[in-house]
Amino acid sequence: MNPYELTVGQAADLLAAKKLSSRELVQSCLDRIEQVEPQVKAFLNIQPDQALVQADAADVRLAEGGAGSLCGVPVSIKDLICTQGTATTCGSRMLENFVPPYDATVISSLKAEGAVLIGKVAMDEFAMGSTTENCAFQTPDNPWKSGYVCGGSSGGSAASVAALECPASLGSDTGGSIRQPASLCGVVGLKPTYGRVSRYGLVAFASSLDQIGPLTRDVHDCALMMNVISGYDRLDSTSVQRDVPDYTAALREGLAGMTIGLPREYFGSGLDPEVEQATMRGVDVLKAAGAKVVDVSLPHTDYCLAVYYLIAPAEASSNLARYDGVSYGLRDLEADSLLDMYKKTRSKGFADEVKRRILIGTYALSSGYYDAYYKKASQVRTLILEDFKQVFTQCDLLISPVVPTPAWKIGEKTDDPLALYLSDVLTTPANLAGIPGISVPGGLTASGLPVGIQLQGPHFAEDRLLYAAYNLEKGLALNTVWPKL
Amino acid sequence: MKITREELEHVAHLARLNLNEEELTRMTGQLDNILAYVAKLDELDTTGIAPTTHAFSLVNAFREDQVSPSLSQTEALVNGPKQNGEYFVVPRII
Amino acid sequence: MEFETVIGLEIHAQLKTKTKIFCGCATTFGEAPNTQTCPVCLGMPGVLPVLNSQVVEFSIKMGLATDSRINRVNQFARKNYFYPDLPKGYQTSQFDLPIVEQGQIEIEVDGKTKTIGITRMHMEEDAGKLIHDEREPLSYVDLNRTGTPLLEIVSEPDLRSPEEAYAYLRKIHAILRYLDICDGNMQEGSFRCDANISLRPMGQEELGTRTELKNMNSFRNVQNALEYEVRRQRDILLDGGTITQATLLWDPDRNRTESMRSKEEAHDYRYFPCPDLVPIEIDDEWIERVRTTLPELPDQRKARFTSDYELPEYDAGLLTASRELADYFETTVQAGAQAKKTSNWIMSELLRELKGEEISSCPVKPEQLGALLIMVDQGTINGKIAKTVFQEMMQSGKDPEVVVKEKNLVQVSDEGEILVMVREIIADNPGQVEEFKGGKTKLMGFFVGQLMQKSKGKANPKMANDLFSKELEA
């Protein structure tokens, strides 16, 4: 087995046993990246020399013994997360040359563990999109089927893991941006509870919805990553002071006593039959593991997308006002007045989707429309939260599809923004309610495209989520054969 | 018609964005579609429902009034597209 | 037609915390440009604000000191607009849930007390500074000041004259200084004032069209600007014209208001609750804890000065208008000087010699003034000499005993010595003596004056007076 094929858990064991060095592991991944990147196009920025320096430092720590599971393991980072001294572009021309003078808290945590930051990966511009086609620089190609989208906005994260370029990645999820690409690329992707993982250093899209989370090849790796990135951060006022359990301790077999809900509203007419079948196979697996499955209802599910596409753009319109060309980022130097500078800079720096969302958001907050749009959406959000509160008195977790369809062709849905928005219908509820959700690989369609299965749980029930996901993974026994490339 | 061209022009100005003819036409249509879609929220009676800003209830996140190091002048200015070693330089307001 | 003036004041007080409202940068004034910033106050991508609890404490204090209601739940909101001194493209402020509402203070104008309502107070962050180039069409941005905490204090439109506005401004200033939560320096910008002013026919309930006045950089300028604007608006209205709603800048050099040159664009701030900051919940316990830390406030101190020191209202009012001055007075009295004499001395000699400078810059320490006044009481020097000594103390900062010794100014109270001079003067001025004996008793002043001259001011004037009386009787 090539080192690049190892999961985080497998690599950690070998590294601890000194049967493998970090340098060997990282070099193997770098070679793999060089080999497949022309096709996959996941990475915006790789610095091999720096990666090997980190690997060597990790090897020193590993030699001393007592290092954590992530020590010496390469991780790719969505380019929305600030890395000190390294360009952080957010997939946008606006920040093409922006070099943050500080690390995001999650980056500090990874570094403290001795993880190797192997590169920054592609994403939809400012996290706005569902295919990474909105990346200003390149669109990653689905490793399972060339010419197909990887999903978004963490498309590069999902692709880099599925293409075996690195065993793990950090992405972000505002309306499904971890879970959806995980589903389309056949990897595990978890969006934590809002406030579980620090947002400090995550370039803001929609502040009340954003969360950083891991993408990995299996559930155990996901738990390892969650152990490292979770926890209270005093630099983030929305960070929750709550103990971080050992998420790997949750991974035991057998689900006796667990009740899983099947929310009927998630099985609407637009669902691809193969997607539905995958979820139902998942239901069978969980039953076989001893769980009880019940029908439940989340009555306001159909309104989630509308709420999301008002609140997210509204917050984004405010969060992106800082890109004005004054103290960092792009500036149109030809402009002759301040107003001209603002307009030219922002029009040049942002592409269409970002502009569209800024416009909707500005409109929804504007005088005369605030009550009808933003306030209304915030009120319906309360109803959505109530739905979940109610449903979790009837069951411990929910099972459902992640995306209504498997991956589609690049360019197929770029003409109609609204049509693309509809692919977020099953993932936006978790962001609005702040609850955690995970996408677990559920197998391939007849045409060889991955389909994910979603589990959602109450606030701070990541351990429960991973526990059920672990059983789902075991029960499905996919024995994944990763794309050859 | 949820949004007119003129309204979009006004909103674009508020957001400091230039939209050319083609963009104005196209985006008015696209935004109109989106706004028509989100109007489904009107089906719900939300009288008396408190809006949610934070999905998880937290209060009183404070820090102590203690000085921590600032960036140096160079570090603060280095990402500036136009700066003179002391200030960020911008075109005059009027 | 009689018009009634209606004024409302908006005060921005920079709170005297060590660090900014949402980050740990220092708030020191006058540092080199862009040396007091960090990714948070620069509004860099990915940063988040964390609230300085001291800002909340200070705000609660000010709320309690003005008899206001402290809102048990308050929340920050974003005020969205574009300007180069606003790095995030929004100002974090408070909108529909401010920390303080419905307070009041008392002001005194022409001996009459009036209650002025305070609509609200809220916390917000300050913006940076812009400097405009004289020749090139460029502006320079210094972001040191971004993120400095401000408390915005909005009065009800209860003020009915520029004098009342001035008194209100002074009172708010005094309270802030008494609480020591703000430096109150208008020149440095730690205390700023904007005004809204309109006129309406006497008896009319509906408010007239108002103008907003900005750029009033001193207490005097506030009053001057308001007086000018009242006259300007009245002239227009008497002519049958109407007032255009506008934002006007006060020009202190030309003593008039001017419309802001840029096109007056009604801002749509698109306020919404800031998702990065969680609500602030203030319970009774917190409020009571802050209440115990409140110092004596101006009104209370004034009352104490009139009762304990038996000072007239006027004196007490003047001395307590500033905390520093009141402290100075009390320290002087505690050093042993008489209260009324100290008050008189401060109100006349001291304030005159200070020439408008702050009392904190006074070279004479209150203990030294106390010693000086004790010397007068004990007869070591007379009042006139004391003034000379005081002037020297203002120059050199030396103790009064030292000055008196150096300049040999000890009062002469030796009867024998004075008698010698009395007789000399009587001998030298026969004409005046005749007139005095003839009934022109006013000439006593002349004789004593001569003696003061002869003794280089050192003679005890009362003794001189008595001795002259005795000698001239004979």
Side-chain angles (χ1 to χ4, degrees):
Chain A
M1 199 190 227
N2 293 297
Y4 68 75
E5 295 174 83
L6 297 164
T7 63
V8 175
Q10 290 165 339
D13 287 341
L14 292 175
L15 288 166
K18 302 203 179 25
K19 294 201 182 131
L20 179 71
S21 72
S22 173
R23 180 168 257 265
E24 287 169 319
L25 175 58
V26 172
Q27 188 62 62
S28 175
C29 290
L30 287 170
D31 292 340
R32 172 70 175 175
I33 290 168
E34 205 183 318
Q35 183 209 335
V36 303
E37 261 298 285
Q39 184 186 334
V40 179
K41 301 193 282 288
F43 282 85
L44 293 178
N45 187 345
I46 316 159
Q47 287 158 319
D49 296 333
Q50 285 199 20
L52 290 169
V53 165
Q54 293 174 57
D56 291 339
D59 278 329
V60 171
R61 282 175 72 167
L62 286 161
E64 288 164 10
S69 311
L70 251 59
C71 188
V73 176
V75 180
S76 69
I77 308 290
K78 183 177 187 177
D79 213 16
L80 193 60
I81 300 170
C82 287
T83 43
Q84 183 176 18
T86 308
T88 300
T89 69
C90 305
S92 178
R93 294 251 171 254
M94 187 63 87
L95 291 179
E96 194 168 353
N97 299 307
F98 175 66
V99 180
Y102 65 99
D103 274 331
T105 299
V106 293
I107 298 297
S108 304
S109 302
L110 285 180
K111 282 181 175 175
E113 283 290 301
V116 174
L117 306 177
I118 200 165
K120 308 298 287 294
V121 286
M123 50 176 287
D124 281 298
E125 189 179 3
F126 285 106
M128 301 184 196
S130 311
T131 59
T132 316
E133 288 170 295
N134 292 332
C135 182
F137 310 112
Q138 68 208 43
T139 299
D141 191 55
N142 196 316
W144 294 88
K145 208 177 193 114
S146 187
Y148 279 67
V149 298
C150 296
S153 58
S154 311
S157 288
S160 63
V161 172
L164 307 181
E165 292 178 298
C166 53
S169 185
L170 277 189
S172 76
D173 192 311
T174 305
S177 291
I178 287 175
R179 293 161 287 153
Q180 186 253 38
S183 175
L184 300 189
C185 289
V187 299
V188 176
L190 185 144
K191 180 200 89 67
T193 308
Y194 185 82
R196 174 81 285 186
V197 175
S198 168
R199 287 187 301 118
Y200 186 81
L202 174 68
V203 179
F205 160 19
S207 317
S208 76
L209 307 171
D210 296 340
Q211 270 290 282
I212 294 175
L215 292 97
T216 56
R217 271 175 245 145
D218 68 19
V219 173
H220 182 248
D221 281 2
C222 188
L224 288 173
M225 289 287 282
M226 282 299 288
N227 280 354
V228 173
I229 63 173
S230 305
Y232 171 66
D233 181 15
R234 62 180 177 78
L235 294 178
D236 176 357
S237 298
T238 59
S239 169
V240 177
Q241 284 189 48
R242 197 178 168 120
D243 286 339
V244 181
D246 175 5
Y247 288 114
T248 60
L251 309 180
R252 32 173 222 293
E253 286 184 55
L255 291 173
M258 185 168 278
T259 306
I260 314 247
L262 207 53
R264 69 180 71 111
E265 290 85 3
Y266 282 59
F267 293 87
S269 53
L271 206 55
D272 182 301
E274 285 184 280
V275 170
E276 182 167 355
Q277 277 159 35
T279 304
M280 296 323 289
R281 267 200 305 276
V283 169
D284 289 338
V285 160
L286 295 178
K287 275 184 182 162
K292 195 169 90 166
V293 179
V294 297
D295 280 330
V296 294
S297 169
L298 290 159
H300 295 94
T301 303
D302 276 347
Y303 299 97
C304 288
L305 208 58
V307 172
Y308 176 80
Y309 276 104
L310 281 171
I311 291 181
E315 293 182 1
S317 70
S318 177
N319 285 327
L320 270 63
R322 67 191 63 200
Y323 304 110
D324 58 8
V326 173
S327 61
Y328 54 78
L330 182 74
R331 182 197 289 201
D332 186 320
L333 296 167
E334 311 267 291
D336 48 23
S337 75
L338 186 69
L339 184 61
D340 206 31
M341 182 192 93
Y342 282 151
K343 291 190 170 184
K344 286 203 170 113
T345 297
R346 291 166 63 77
S347 306
K348 222 195 231 176
F350 296 137
D352 275 2
E353 186 58 37
V354 171
K355 284 182 187 155
R356 237 186 318 269
R357 299 205 194 187
I358 289 176
L359 290 168
I360 298 174
T362 306
Y363 185 73
L365 292 172
S366 65
S367 176
Y369 294 109
Y370 179 91
D371 284 355
Y373 289 116
Y374 182 78
K375 184 172 173 200
K376 182 81 181 180
S378 305
Q379 288 173 304
V380 178
R381 190 174 177 183
T382 305
L383 297 176
I384 293 164
L385 262 158
E386 277 303 309
D387 276 6
F388 281 105
K389 229 184 252 172
Q390 253 309 300
V391 99
F392 289 126
T393 62
Q394 299 159 37
C395 64
D396 301 307
L397 292 175
L398 297 165
I399 186 168
S400 72
V402 187
V403 197
T405 68
W408 51 94
K409 292 207 182 93
I410 292 175
E412 191 180 317
K413 293 192 186 175
T414 46
D415 283 338
D416 184 0
L418 187 58
L420 202 49
Y421 294 169
L422 293 172
S423 74
D424 298 332
V425 64
L426 305 175
T427 46
T428 51
N431 301 87
L432 294 171
I435 60 169
I438 189 171
S439 176
V440 178
L444 303 175
T445 63
S447 60
L449 287 167
V451 169
I453 301 170
Q454 178 170 218
L455 296 170
Q456 297 177 87
H459 292 131
F460 298 102
E462 282 85 350
D463 44 0
R464 197 187 304 169
L465 221 52
L466 288 162
Y467 170 42
Y470 181 70
N471 279 275
L472 189 55
E473 183 184 71
K474 268 237 157 347
L476 286 171
L478 294 176
N479 297 316
T480 307
V481 177
W482 296 96
K484 275 289 167 269
L485 294 174
Chain B
M1 257 270 115
K2 288 285 173 187
I3 182 169
T4 65
R5 220 179 123 93
E6 290 66 41
E7 282 178 313
L8 188 61
E9 266 183 301
H10 172 66
V11 173
H13 174 66
L14 282 178
R16 297 300 184 262
L17 292 170
N18 277 334
L19 295 177
N20 60 37
E21 279 305 306
E22 186 273 324
E23 286 167 324
L24 258 176
T25 312
R26 180 165 45 87
M27 291 214 184
T28 305
Q30 288 168 339
L31 256 64
D32 201 61
N33 283 344
I34 295 165
L35 290 170
Y37 176 79
V38 301
K40 73 176 355 196
L41 294 182
D42 293 338
E43 292 165 20
L44 295 168
D45 179 9
T46 49
T47 350
I49 308 279
T52 294
T53 301
H54 301 103
F56 191 75
S57 282
L58 279 178
V59 296
N60 294 351
F62 296 134
R63 42 168 269 274
E64 296 293 308
D65 189 24
Q66 300 217 350
V67 179
S68 53
S70 294
L71 292 175
S72 70
Q73 193 182 57
T74 315
E75 286 172 320
L77 294 169
V78 74
N79 274 299
K82 200 163 175 213
Q83 49 98 351
N84 65 6
E86 280 189 295
Y87 297 92
F88 297 102
V89 182
V90 297
R92 188 103 189 231
I93 316 300
I94 309 116
Chain C
M1 158 102 86
E2 273 290 307
F3 286 105
E4 181 177 50
T5 306
V6 177
I7 298 172
L9 290 186
E10 256 174 45
I11 293 168
H12 285 89
Q14 254 182 21
L15 295 176
K16 249 178 104 158
T17 52
K18 284 187 262 178
T19 62
K20 296 185 177 181
I21 188 172
F22 297 123
C23 68
C25 290
T27 51
T28 332
F29 176 81
E31 298 294 309
N34 294 301
T35 54
Q36 220 156 251
T37 67
C38 72
V40 177
C41 55
L42 285 175
M44 286 190 154
V47 299
L48 293 170
V50 185
L51 180 60
N52 179 345
S53 59
Q54 188 74 292
V55 176
V56 182
E57 287 270 320
F58 283 0
S59 304
I60 296 174
K61 257 190 170 150
M62 190 58 184
L64 291 175
T66 53
D67 229 355
S68 311
R69 182 187 79 218
I70 312 292
N71 283 335
R72 296 299 199 261
V73 179
N74 65 95
Q75 167 75 43
F76 282 98
R78 294 190 185 178
K79 181 178 181 181
N80 299 280
Y81 65 97
F82 288 86
Y83 209 62
D85 65 3
L86 198 67
K88 294 191 295 292
Y90 61 84
Q91 178 194 26
T92 306
S93 176
Q94 296 190 295
F95 184 57
D96 50 6
L97 282 174
I99 184 166
V100 167
E101 279 180 295
Q102 292 182 6
Q104 59 187 36
I105 59 159
E106 293 205 338
I107 58 168
E108 226 183 80
V109 177
D110 291 335
K112 284 204 278 258
T113 313
K114 184 173 171 181
T115 305
I116 305 294
I118 293 172
T119 315
R120 56 181 276 155
M121 299 186 193
H122 67 256
M123 304 177 282
E124 59 184 28
E125 55 179 345
D126 208 346
K129 274 215 185 99
L130 278 180
I131 303 169
H132 305 296
D133 193 299
E134 305 281 313
R135 285 161 303 161
E136 307 283 332
L138 297 171
S139 297
Y140 305 105
V141 187
D142 172 14
L143 295 174
N144 279 354
R145 202 180 63 174
T146 7
T148 306
L150 295 176
L151 185 63
E152 179 172 332
I153 302 167
V154 182
S155 81
E156 290 284 336
D158 289 346
L159 301 161
R160 292 286 171 270
S161 70
E163 290 77 23
E164 287 187 7
Y166 181 86
Y168 170 84
L169 199 62
R170 275 286 182 201
K171 192 63 178 285
I172 294 286
H173 184 268
I175 297 173
L176 289 168
R177 289 300 309 124
Y178 267 64
L179 295 173
D180 202 20
I181 59 176
C182 173
D183 280 337
N185 189 324
M186 281 190 98
Q187 284 69 30
E188 282 183 2
S190 60
F191 184 77
R192 302 171 220 158
C193 173
D194 295 332
N196 286 304
I197 175 169
S198 64
L199 265 53
R200 64 184 171 193
M202 207 54 109
Q204 181 179 295
E205 268 219 51
E206 206 193 316
L207 291 171
T209 310
R210 66 166 202 240
T211 55
E212 191 186 355
L213 265 63
K214 287 180 173 290
N215 198 44
M216 300 172 291
N217 294 342
S218 71
F219 291 98
R220 266 302 141 223
N221 273 327
V222 172
Q223 188 156 355
N224 291 345
L226 287 168
E227 281 168 359
Y228 175 90
E229 186 60 12
V230 169
R231 283 196 303 273
R232 188 189 77 88
Q233 286 198 18
R234 180 185 290 131
D235 287 347
I236 292 173
L237 292 171
L238 284 175
D239 260 357
T242 50
I243 308 295
T244 324
Q245 180 163 35
T247 302
L248 306 171
L249 297 178
W250 174 247
D251 186 336
D253 300 318
R254 273 129 112 216
N255 273 323
R256 55 169 213 217
T257 58
E258 263 169 15
S259 201
M260 286 180 82
R261 262 173 293 132
S262 61
K263 174 172 163 253
E264 179 52 24
E265 219 182 76
H267 283 286
D268 182 356
Y269 292 120
R270 309 185 293 286
Y271 284 99
F272 71 103
C274 183
D276 288 329
L277 289 163
V278 297
I280 301 153
E281 273 185 12
I282 302 172
D283 58 14
D284 288 344
E285 207 201 294
W286 191 351
I287 293 177
E288 288 320 305
R289 223 184 329 118
V290 176
R291 205 192 291 279
T292 61
T293 68
L294 288 179
E296 191 182 30
L297 293 172
D299 287 350
Q300 296 164 312
R301 202 165 192 183
K302 179 180 170 200
R304 184 165 65 80
F305 276 19
T306 50
S307 64
D308 291 6
Y309 296 113
E310 291 173 359
L311 289 175
E313 287 253 344
Y314 176 79
D315 291 36
L318 198 138
L319 291 172
T320 57
S322 127
R323 182 183 181 171
E324 285 81 7
L325 194 60
D327 287 345
Y328 194 98
F329 166 80
E330 285 209 273
T331 312
T332 307
V333 170
Q334 271 150 27
Q338 277 188 51
K340 185 71 174 95
K341 293 221 167 100
T342 307
S343 172
N344 289 346
W345 193 274
I346 288 176
M347 291 192 300
S348 55
E349 304 300 316
L350 182 66
L351 290 179
R352 189 190 61 230
E353 290 296 318
L354 270 181
K355 297 187 183 64
E357 292 291 311
E358 290 300 307
I359 186 79
S360 50
S361 68
C362 183
V364 177
K365 299 282 151 275
E367 295 85 354
Q368 292 172 314
L369 176 60
L372 179 70
L373 294 174
I374 289 170
M375 285 174 90
V376 174
D377 254 357
Q378 292 172 341
T380 314
I381 51 173
N382 63 44
K384 196 154 180 234
I385 294 287
K387 289 181 187 178
T388 313
V389 173
F390 184 68
Q391 274 161 14
E392 171 60 39
M393 286 164 76
M394 287 294 285
Q395 292 302 315
S396 64
K398 288 186 184 159
D399 283 344
E401 299 87 349
V402 172
V403 175
V404 164
K405 206 171 199 162
E406 279 177 1
K407 294 194 184 257
N408 195 20
L409 294 171
V410 177
Q411 182 167 248
V412 175
S413 294
D414 182 291
E415 261 200 40
E417 250 189 88
I418 295 180
L419 195 56
V420 168
M421 289 190 271
V422 165
R423 284 175 181 164
E424 279 173 11
I425 289 163
I426 288 176
D428 286 341
N429 297 279
Q432 283 85 342
V433 173
E434 274 304 316
E435 289 180 45
F436 182 82
K437 287 192 176 170
K440 211 169 177 187
T441 50
K442 271 170 139 193
L443 282 171
M444 180 54 78
F446 166 76
F447 292 123
V448 175
Q450 289 292 302
L451 190 89
M452 295 311 283
Q453 259 187 17
K454 207 182 202 31
S455 69
K456 292 192 183 51
K458 290 195 288 185
N460 185 325
K462 186 167 185 308
M463 195 174 280
N465 198 311
D466 292 344
L467 288 173
F468 267 112
S469 297
K470 250 204 226 139
E471 290 294 299
L472 290 168
E473 236 164 71

